[in-house]
Amino acid sequence: MPNTPHPAVTTTNPTPHASSVHARQSRRGWRLHVLCSPDPNWRGQVVDLLPGATTMGRQDADWVFADPALSRRHARVQTAEDGVWLVDEGSRNGTFVAGQRTQHAQLGDGAVLRLGGSVLVLEADGGLAKDHSEPTANLPGRTEQARTLRFEVGIAATQSMHVLLHGETGTGKEHAALEIHRLSGRHGPVVLFNVAAVPTELFEAELFGHIAGAFTGASAARLGRIREAQKGTLVLDEIGELPFALQAKLLRVLEERVIRPVGASQDIPIDVRFVASTNADLQRLVDQGKFRRDLLARLRVNTVHLSPIAARRGDLLDLADAVCPLVEAGQPVPWSAKLTPDAAQALVLYDWPDNLRMVRGCLTRAAALAKDDRVGLEHLPQEVTTALNRVTHTPRSDVAEKKRPTASRLRAALGKFRGNVDTLARDFGVHRRQVYRWLDYAGIDQAELRAARQEPEEPDIDAPGKG
């Protein structure tokens, strides 16, 4: 068996155990992220799924994992016109989707797979990402969402327009702002300013600065956050919280690039790049009369959206390494090597309502509890571990799988309907392709199907592997 992958497979590192499956022509469609695995050669790989069937196992498989928990030929992934199917090949320890053991399931985007000690995430290729750059410290991840974000941030960084970052709390808007500054080539500092953290009565002086004696207690002049960011970037976090009375003044700064400190009589020119961020619906605030329409128009010309972590399951451990880095014996340790398979599966299945902030808190606590041991389920919060008991990515075939008829029942139905697959499908309430899958699973081949029809004829073009 060859020990090097064919160039048609996209990986982040060499995959020494991939075999002749890689010789087939690749096409855009689906990819698997190997988040963790006992086989270090597979850990962190991102592999395109090629048309047809790909088997995985310990031996005698297209993708061979050095994992004693796997059977020799453990499972296969089948790409077809109607999506991706996962079929257990009679494995000893089972094949799992979203924490549930399965024999045969259709997979959707974001499906979480568990085979032996390996946890994988399936990703659909929407053809949106134009960026193929390597992950950065501020913007890690290898999913299409991550690559799209890097592309949009790169475009924003090279333009002179101000930027609006929009996303749920904890999705990494501050990191995106830092990346915009890094890529912009501006030589001044990056200044972070949380709009929501400053009392309204102090806001103007905090942002624009003041001269000495401008008000009681102003014994010395102050530059203000805008001038502190001269030649650099000012990040206005939670811009939706900006007091309405001050929005007109900020608009003037954006348009005229001058400020007037509190108590001053003259304007001061500035050279500052503004990056605003929010998790609020600014258009809704405009409709409610709480945010100026002209200010929003000025900000949203260059808008970058950040997806929640639940939409980027394939990036979870890369993000964990970025927001909660591990160091043991003076050496960095990736979370993919620190987690047990059960813990990794639970983390990936959880929806993370507070996104990266919750990830950081959860893993910081888990590492402290585990000390030098691997992080297991016992070190994770209960709300995370219960994710294993919920099906967050229900395969569309689960309902059909639960009512899959036995081989004897299928043969009886074929006899009743004289081998008419369309009639049989209507009787069971499923698509005719599902019937063919059942037939294949039951070992009923085309010869037996033709016999049920009581006449020789060509196999139906919709049968698996035909047409």
Side-chain angles (χ1 to χ4, degrees):
M1 182 177 295
N3 288 325
T4 55
H6 188 275
V9 173
T10 301
T11 61
T12 56
N13 298 295
T15 308
H17 297 89
S19 75
S20 58
V21 66
H22 300 142
R24 299 195 296 266
Q25 277 295 95
S26 179
R27 69 175 182 183
R28 294 171 64 86
W30 301 88
R31 61 179 65 91
L32 276 172
H33 295 255
V34 185
L35 269 62
C36 68
S37 175
D39 187 337
N41 294 304
W42 277 99
R43 194 180 301 148
Q45 294 294 323
V46 184
V47 189
D48 287 340
L49 283 178
L50 304 180
T54 300
T55 57
M56 294 175 282
R58 184 166 44 86
Q59 296 178 18
D60 303 329
D62 296 317
W63 295 356
V64 176
F65 291 73
D67 180 359
L70 288 178
S71 297
R72 293 167 62 92
R73 187 180 171 98
H74 195 98
R76 76 174 186 269
V77 177
Q78 180 88 34
T79 59
E81 291 183 0
D82 58 349
V84 179
W85 292 82
L86 179 67
V87 180
D88 184 85
E89 295 278 290
S91 67
R92 179 179 68 256
N93 293 323
T95 300
F96 297 81
V97 178
Q100 306 298 309
R101 188 163 183 166
T102 184
Q103 295 293 325
H104 188 255
Q106 188 172 10
L107 307 177
D109 186 24
V112 179
L113 284 58
R114 168 79 180 275
L115 289 79
S118 298
V119 177
L120 308 90
V121 174
L122 181 70
E123 181 192 16
D125 185 350
L128 300 177
K130 303 177 179 65
D131 180 73
H132 297 283
S133 63
E134 289 297 312
T136 67
N138 287 318
L139 299 179
R142 298 175 176 85
T143 65
E144 185 174 61
Q145 295 273 13
R147 290 183 288 115
T148 298
L149 178 58
R150 284 195 293 271
F151 174 76
E152 293 180 352
V153 162
I155 293 296
T158 60
Q159 298 177 340
S160 60
M161 296 180 293
H162 306 301
V163 183
L164 177 64
L165 301 174
H166 184 269
E168 294 179 6
T169 181
T171 50
K173 297 187 291 293
E174 180 179 312
H175 294 282
L178 294 174
E179 189 72 358
I180 289 173
H181 176 74
R182 186 183 73 85
L183 296 173
S184 69
R186 300 186 66 84
H187 301 295
V190 56
V191 176
L192 305 176
F193 181 43
N194 189 334
V195 172
V198 180
T200 302
E201 62 273 15
L202 300 177
F203 196 95
E204 189 171 359
E206 185 75 18
L207 188 60
F208 301 113
H210 59 79
I211 64 172
F215 50 85
T216 302
S219 57
R222 183 172 182 177
L223 286 177
R225 297 302 180 90
I226 293 179
R227 279 192 289 170
E228 287 176 5
Q230 183 72 358
K231 300 292 184 181
T233 303
L234 177 62
V235 182
L236 298 172
D237 190 22
E238 303 297 348
I239 189 66
E241 300 294 326
L242 181 66
F244 191 83
L246 294 175
Q247 292 176 21
K249 294 187 177 183
L250 178 60
L251 178 64
R252 178 174 181 261
V253 173
L254 298 180
E255 292 181 338
E256 301 180 15
R257 298 183 182 275
V258 296
I259 64 167
R260 180 170 294 189
V262 176
S265 58
Q266 293 183 336
D267 292 335
I268 298 175
I270 60 164
D271 177 12
V272 175
R273 174 77 175 278
F274 288 84
V275 176
S277 68
T278 184
N279 62 0
D281 184 343
L282 295 184
Q283 183 58 58
R284 184 176 181 181
L285 293 180
V286 168
D287 297 339
Q288 295 173 347
K290 298 178 181 179
F291 202 85
R292 292 182 63 100
R293 186 178 302 275
D294 47 4
L295 178 57
L296 176 57
R298 188 74 178 183
L299 289 173
R300 69 178 177 188
V301 170
N302 206 354
T303 301
V304 176
H305 295 279
L306 286 88
S307 302
I309 302 306
R312 299 177 53 187
R313 297 183 191 275
D315 289 330
L316 179 62
L317 297 191
D318 286 335
L319 292 167
D321 288 337
V323 302
C324 187
L326 275 176
V327 177
E328 295 183 354
Q331 297 295 321
V333 177
W335 277 100
S336 60
K338 180 72 171 178
L339 296 165
T340 66
D342 285 339
Q345 186 178 215
L347 291 170
V348 178
L349 285 172
Y350 190 60
D351 283 336
W352 301 107
D354 294 323
N355 295 293
L356 291 177
R357 292 177 183 174
M358 190 175 184
V359 172
R360 182 188 296 112
C362 171
L363 294 183
T364 299
R365 176 180 179 274
L369 290 173
K371 297 182 180 179
D372 294 332
D373 295 330
R374 297 179 73 188
V375 170
L377 289 177
E378 67 274 18
H379 303 122
L380 300 179
Q382 184 177 0
E383 62 266 31
V384 175
T385 59
T386 54
L388 282 176
N389 300 321
R390 299 193 309 269
V391 180
T392 57
H393 290 289
T394 305
R396 283 190 290 154
S397 67
D398 274 5
V399 175
E401 186 66 20
K402 290 175 183 177
K403 62 180 182 181
R404 186 180 69 231
T406 62
S408 60
R409 187 181 173 194
L410 275 174
R411 287 187 170 93
L414 284 172
K416 175 182 177 181
F417 299 118
R418 298 177 60 87
N420 190 313
V421 173
D422 288 333
T423 304
L424 191 151
R426 285 194 296 270
D427 186 65
F428 280 101
V430 297
H431 193 278
R432 68 199 309 265
R433 287 195 179 93
Q434 181 64 67
V435 173
Y436 280 117
R437 295 186 189 99
W438 286 343
L439 296 175
D440 180 62
Y441 191 87
I444 300 174
D445 58 18
Q446 289 293 309
E448 190 170 352
L449 184 58
R450 288 195 298 272
R453 292 170 179 159
Q454 298 180 0
E455 59 180 5
E457 61 179 56
E458 292 297 323
D460 195 292
I461 60 172
D462 283 336
K466 307 295 180 184

